Short mmCIF file of all heavy atoms in Angstrom, two decimals:
data_model
loop_
_atom_site.label_atom_id
_atom_site.label_comp_id
_atom_site.label_asym_id
_atom_site.label_seq_id
_atom_site.Cartn_x
_atom_site.Cartn_y
_atom_site.Cartn_z
N ALA A 214 130.73 84.92 109.51
CA ALA A 214 129.67 85.10 110.50
C ALA A 214 128.38 85.59 109.84
O ALA A 214 127.28 85.15 110.18
CB ALA A 214 130.12 86.09 111.58
N ILE A 215 128.53 86.50 108.87
CA ILE A 215 127.35 87.00 108.14
C ILE A 215 126.74 85.86 107.34
O ILE A 215 125.50 85.71 107.28
CB ILE A 215 127.73 88.17 107.22
CG1 ILE A 215 128.42 89.28 108.02
CG2 ILE A 215 126.48 88.72 106.53
CD1 ILE A 215 129.00 90.38 107.15
N ALA A 216 127.59 85.03 106.71
CA ALA A 216 127.10 83.90 105.93
C ALA A 216 126.30 82.94 106.80
O ALA A 216 125.28 82.38 106.38
CB ALA A 216 128.26 83.17 105.26
N ALA A 217 126.75 82.75 108.04
CA ALA A 217 126.02 81.88 108.96
C ALA A 217 124.63 82.45 109.27
O ALA A 217 123.65 81.70 109.37
CB ALA A 217 126.82 81.70 110.26
N SER A 218 124.56 83.77 109.42
CA SER A 218 123.25 84.41 109.66
C SER A 218 122.33 84.22 108.46
O SER A 218 121.13 83.96 108.61
CB SER A 218 123.44 85.89 109.95
OG SER A 218 124.16 86.10 111.15
N LEU A 219 122.89 84.35 107.26
CA LEU A 219 122.09 84.14 106.06
C LEU A 219 121.60 82.70 105.98
O LEU A 219 120.46 82.44 105.58
CB LEU A 219 122.91 84.50 104.81
CG LEU A 219 123.27 85.97 104.63
CD1 LEU A 219 124.09 86.17 103.36
CD2 LEU A 219 122.02 86.85 104.59
N ASP A 220 122.45 81.76 106.37
CA ASP A 220 122.03 80.35 106.37
C ASP A 220 120.88 80.13 107.35
O ASP A 220 119.95 79.36 107.07
CB ASP A 220 123.21 79.45 106.73
CG ASP A 220 124.23 79.31 105.61
OD1 ASP A 220 123.86 79.61 104.45
OD2 ASP A 220 125.37 78.92 105.89
N ASP A 221 120.95 80.79 108.50
CA ASP A 221 119.86 80.68 109.48
C ASP A 221 118.55 81.20 108.91
O ASP A 221 117.47 80.61 109.12
CB ASP A 221 120.20 81.45 110.75
CG ASP A 221 121.28 80.77 111.58
OD1 ASP A 221 121.52 79.57 111.37
OD2 ASP A 221 121.89 81.46 112.43
N ILE A 222 118.63 82.32 108.16
CA ILE A 222 117.42 82.89 107.56
C ILE A 222 116.88 81.94 106.49
O ILE A 222 115.66 81.71 106.40
CB ILE A 222 117.73 84.28 106.96
CG1 ILE A 222 118.03 85.27 108.09
CG2 ILE A 222 116.56 84.77 106.10
CD1 ILE A 222 118.49 86.63 107.61
N ARG A 223 117.76 81.38 105.68
CA ARG A 223 117.32 80.42 104.66
C ARG A 223 116.62 79.22 105.31
O ARG A 223 115.57 78.77 104.85
CB ARG A 223 118.51 79.93 103.84
CG ARG A 223 119.12 80.97 102.93
CD ARG A 223 120.17 80.35 102.02
NE ARG A 223 120.83 81.36 101.20
CZ ARG A 223 121.98 81.92 101.50
NH1 ARG A 223 122.63 81.56 102.62
NH2 ARG A 223 122.51 82.84 100.72
N ARG A 224 117.21 78.72 106.39
CA ARG A 224 116.63 77.57 107.08
C ARG A 224 115.27 77.91 107.66
O ARG A 224 114.32 77.12 107.53
CB ARG A 224 117.59 77.13 108.19
CG ARG A 224 117.22 75.82 108.86
CD ARG A 224 118.25 75.43 109.92
NE ARG A 224 119.60 75.40 109.35
CZ ARG A 224 120.55 76.27 109.65
NH1 ARG A 224 120.31 77.28 110.51
NH2 ARG A 224 121.74 76.19 109.11
N TRP A 225 115.16 79.09 108.27
CA TRP A 225 113.88 79.51 108.85
C TRP A 225 112.80 79.61 107.77
O TRP A 225 111.67 79.17 107.97
CB TRP A 225 114.06 80.85 109.55
CG TRP A 225 112.85 81.27 110.34
CD1 TRP A 225 112.61 81.05 111.65
CD2 TRP A 225 111.70 81.98 109.83
NE1 TRP A 225 111.39 81.56 112.02
CE2 TRP A 225 110.81 82.14 110.92
CE3 TRP A 225 111.35 82.48 108.58
CZ2 TRP A 225 109.59 82.78 110.78
CZ3 TRP A 225 110.12 83.13 108.44
CH2 TRP A 225 109.25 83.27 109.53
N ARG A 226 113.17 80.18 106.65
CA ARG A 226 112.19 80.33 105.57
C ARG A 226 111.72 78.97 105.04
O ARG A 226 110.54 78.77 104.77
CB ARG A 226 112.77 81.17 104.43
CG ARG A 226 113.04 82.62 104.81
CD ARG A 226 113.50 83.40 103.59
NE ARG A 226 112.41 83.63 102.65
CZ ARG A 226 112.54 83.69 101.34
NH1 ARG A 226 113.73 83.54 100.78
NH2 ARG A 226 111.49 83.94 100.58
N ARG A 227 112.66 78.04 104.88
CA ARG A 227 112.28 76.71 104.40
C ARG A 227 111.31 76.03 105.36
O ARG A 227 110.39 75.34 104.95
CB ARG A 227 113.52 75.82 104.21
CG ARG A 227 114.36 76.15 102.99
CD ARG A 227 115.33 75.02 102.68
NE ARG A 227 116.24 74.75 103.80
CZ ARG A 227 117.43 75.32 103.94
NH1 ARG A 227 117.86 76.20 103.04
NH2 ARG A 227 118.20 75.01 104.96
N GLU A 228 111.53 76.26 106.65
CA GLU A 228 110.71 75.59 107.66
C GLU A 228 109.35 76.25 107.86
O GLU A 228 108.38 75.58 108.26
CB GLU A 228 111.47 75.57 109.00
CG GLU A 228 112.70 74.68 108.97
CD GLU A 228 113.52 74.80 110.25
OE1 GLU A 228 113.16 75.65 111.12
OE2 GLU A 228 114.51 74.07 110.39
N HIS A 229 109.26 77.56 107.60
CA HIS A 229 108.06 78.30 107.98
C HIS A 229 107.27 78.92 106.83
O HIS A 229 106.13 79.36 107.05
CB HIS A 229 108.42 79.41 108.97
CG HIS A 229 108.95 78.91 110.27
ND1 HIS A 229 110.30 78.71 110.48
CD2 HIS A 229 108.32 78.55 111.43
CE1 HIS A 229 110.48 78.26 111.72
NE2 HIS A 229 109.31 78.16 112.31
N GLN A 230 107.83 78.99 105.64
CA GLN A 230 107.12 79.66 104.55
C GLN A 230 106.96 78.73 103.34
O GLN A 230 107.78 77.85 103.12
CB GLN A 230 107.88 80.93 104.12
CG GLN A 230 107.92 82.00 105.20
CD GLN A 230 108.65 83.25 104.75
OE1 GLN A 230 109.21 83.31 103.67
NE2 GLN A 230 108.65 84.26 105.61
N PRO A 231 105.90 78.95 102.55
CA PRO A 231 105.63 78.10 101.39
C PRO A 231 106.48 78.50 100.18
O PRO A 231 106.00 79.14 99.24
CB PRO A 231 104.14 78.32 101.13
CG PRO A 231 103.90 79.72 101.59
CD PRO A 231 104.81 79.92 102.78
N LEU A 232 107.74 78.15 100.20
CA LEU A 232 108.65 78.52 99.12
C LEU A 232 108.43 77.62 97.91
O LEU A 232 108.00 76.48 98.03
CB LEU A 232 110.11 78.40 99.60
CG LEU A 232 110.47 79.21 100.85
CD1 LEU A 232 111.95 79.01 101.18
CD2 LEU A 232 110.17 80.69 100.65
N GLY A 233 108.74 78.16 96.74
CA GLY A 233 108.61 77.38 95.52
C GLY A 233 107.19 77.27 94.98
O GLY A 233 106.94 76.54 94.03
N ILE A 234 106.26 77.98 95.61
CA ILE A 234 104.86 77.98 95.18
C ILE A 234 104.47 79.41 94.88
O ILE A 234 104.82 80.32 95.63
CB ILE A 234 103.94 77.43 96.29
CG1 ILE A 234 104.42 76.04 96.75
CG2 ILE A 234 102.50 77.37 95.82
CD1 ILE A 234 103.68 75.53 97.96
N PRO A 235 103.74 79.66 93.77
CA PRO A 235 103.34 81.04 93.48
C PRO A 235 102.60 81.68 94.65
O PRO A 235 101.62 81.13 95.16
CB PRO A 235 102.43 80.89 92.25
CG PRO A 235 102.94 79.67 91.57
CD PRO A 235 103.34 78.74 92.69
N SER A 236 103.08 82.83 95.08
CA SER A 236 102.51 83.57 96.21
C SER A 236 102.96 85.01 96.10
O SER A 236 104.03 85.29 95.55
CB SER A 236 102.98 82.97 97.54
OG SER A 236 102.70 83.82 98.62
N ALA A 237 102.17 85.92 96.64
CA ALA A 237 102.55 87.33 96.60
C ALA A 237 103.38 87.73 97.82
O ALA A 237 103.79 88.88 97.94
CB ALA A 237 101.30 88.22 96.53
N GLY A 238 103.65 86.79 98.73
CA GLY A 238 104.32 87.13 99.97
C GLY A 238 103.29 87.28 101.09
O GLY A 238 102.16 86.81 100.97
N SER A 239 103.69 87.92 102.18
CA SER A 239 102.75 88.10 103.30
C SER A 239 101.52 88.86 102.82
O SER A 239 101.64 89.93 102.22
CB SER A 239 103.43 88.87 104.44
OG SER A 239 104.50 88.13 104.97
N THR A 240 100.35 88.31 103.10
CA THR A 240 99.12 88.89 102.56
C THR A 240 98.64 90.09 103.37
O THR A 240 98.22 91.10 102.80
CB THR A 240 98.01 87.82 102.54
OG1 THR A 240 98.47 86.69 101.79
CG2 THR A 240 96.75 88.38 101.88
N PHE A 241 98.73 90.00 104.70
CA PHE A 241 98.23 91.06 105.57
C PHE A 241 99.33 91.60 106.46
O PHE A 241 100.28 90.90 106.81
CB PHE A 241 97.09 90.53 106.47
CG PHE A 241 95.88 90.06 105.72
CD1 PHE A 241 95.71 88.72 105.44
CD2 PHE A 241 94.91 90.96 105.30
CE1 PHE A 241 94.58 88.27 104.74
CE2 PHE A 241 93.78 90.53 104.61
CZ PHE A 241 93.62 89.18 104.33
N ARG A 242 99.20 92.87 106.84
CA ARG A 242 100.07 93.45 107.85
C ARG A 242 99.75 92.82 109.20
O ARG A 242 98.61 92.48 109.49
CB ARG A 242 99.85 94.96 107.97
CG ARG A 242 100.14 95.75 106.71
CD ARG A 242 99.92 97.22 107.00
NE ARG A 242 100.11 98.04 105.82
CZ ARG A 242 100.08 99.36 105.82
NH1 ARG A 242 99.86 100.02 106.95
NH2 ARG A 242 100.26 100.05 104.71
N ASN A 243 100.76 92.72 110.04
CA ASN A 243 100.51 92.26 111.41
C ASN A 243 99.86 93.39 112.19
O ASN A 243 100.36 94.52 112.19
CB ASN A 243 101.81 91.86 112.09
CG ASN A 243 102.38 90.57 111.55
OD1 ASN A 243 101.62 89.66 111.21
ND2 ASN A 243 103.68 90.48 111.47
N PRO A 244 98.75 93.12 112.87
CA PRO A 244 98.13 94.18 113.70
C PRO A 244 98.98 94.40 114.94
O PRO A 244 99.78 93.54 115.32
CB PRO A 244 96.76 93.58 114.05
CG PRO A 244 96.97 92.11 113.98
CD PRO A 244 97.98 91.87 112.89
N PRO A 245 98.85 95.55 115.60
CA PRO A 245 99.65 95.84 116.79
C PRO A 245 99.54 94.74 117.84
O PRO A 245 98.44 94.34 118.22
CB PRO A 245 99.06 97.15 117.29
CG PRO A 245 98.47 97.80 116.06
CD PRO A 245 97.94 96.65 115.25
N GLY A 246 100.68 94.22 118.26
CA GLY A 246 100.70 93.25 119.34
C GLY A 246 100.27 91.85 118.98
O GLY A 246 100.09 91.00 119.86
N ASP A 247 100.10 91.56 117.70
CA ASP A 247 99.65 90.23 117.30
C ASP A 247 100.22 89.91 115.92
O ASP A 247 100.93 90.73 115.33
CB ASP A 247 98.12 90.18 117.28
CG ASP A 247 97.57 88.78 117.58
OD1 ASP A 247 98.29 87.79 117.35
OD2 ASP A 247 96.42 88.69 118.04
N SER A 248 99.92 88.74 115.42
CA SER A 248 100.36 88.38 114.08
C SER A 248 99.16 87.98 113.23
O SER A 248 98.23 87.31 113.73
CB SER A 248 101.38 87.25 114.11
OG SER A 248 100.78 85.99 114.11
N ALA A 249 99.18 88.42 111.99
CA ALA A 249 98.08 88.08 111.08
C ALA A 249 97.98 86.57 110.90
O ALA A 249 96.88 86.01 110.86
CB ALA A 249 98.31 88.77 109.73
N GLY A 250 99.13 85.89 110.80
CA GLY A 250 99.11 84.45 110.62
C GLY A 250 98.42 83.74 111.76
O GLY A 250 97.64 82.79 111.55
N ARG A 251 98.68 84.16 112.99
CA ARG A 251 98.05 83.52 114.15
C ARG A 251 96.54 83.72 114.13
O ARG A 251 95.76 82.78 114.39
CB ARG A 251 98.63 84.09 115.45
CG ARG A 251 98.18 83.33 116.70
CD ARG A 251 98.32 84.15 117.96
NE ARG A 251 97.35 85.25 118.02
CZ ARG A 251 96.07 85.09 118.32
NH1 ARG A 251 95.57 83.88 118.57
NH2 ARG A 251 95.26 86.14 118.38
N LEU A 252 96.10 84.94 113.80
CA LEU A 252 94.67 85.24 113.77
C LEU A 252 93.96 84.43 112.68
O LEU A 252 92.85 83.93 112.88
CB LEU A 252 94.45 86.73 113.54
CG LEU A 252 94.82 87.64 114.71
CD1 LEU A 252 94.91 89.09 114.26
CD2 LEU A 252 93.78 87.50 115.83
N ILE A 253 94.61 84.30 111.53
CA ILE A 253 94.00 83.55 110.42
C ILE A 253 93.91 82.07 110.78
O ILE A 253 92.89 81.41 110.54
CB ILE A 253 94.82 83.76 109.13
CG1 ILE A 253 94.75 85.22 108.71
CG2 ILE A 253 94.30 82.87 108.00
CD1 ILE A 253 95.75 85.61 107.64
N GLU A 254 94.98 81.54 111.38
CA GLU A 254 94.96 80.13 111.79
C GLU A 254 93.91 79.90 112.88
O GLU A 254 93.18 78.89 112.85
CB GLU A 254 96.34 79.72 112.29
CG GLU A 254 96.45 78.24 112.65
CD GLU A 254 97.86 77.81 112.96
OE1 GLU A 254 98.78 78.63 112.84
OE2 GLU A 254 98.03 76.63 113.34
N ALA A 255 93.82 80.82 113.83
CA ALA A 255 92.84 80.68 114.91
C ALA A 255 91.41 80.69 114.38
O ALA A 255 90.50 80.09 114.98
CB ALA A 255 93.03 81.80 115.94
N ALA A 256 91.21 81.36 113.26
CA ALA A 256 89.87 81.41 112.64
C ALA A 256 89.58 80.15 111.82
O ALA A 256 88.52 80.05 111.20
CB ALA A 256 89.75 82.65 111.76
#
Side-chain angles (χ1 to χ4, degrees):
I215 305 172
S218 296
L219 293 179
D220 286 341
D221 288 343
I222 292 173
R223 291 188 184 96
R224 189 178 306 111
W225 188 93
R226 294 185 72 213
R227 285 195 301 269
E228 293 173 355
H229 296 91
Q230 295 181 355
L232 304 181
I234 305 172
S236 167
S239 296
T240 305
F241 297 97
R242 299 182 183 186
N243 288 324
D247 210 336
S248 87
R251 189 201 70 76
L252 289 165
I253 295 167
E254 184 172 356

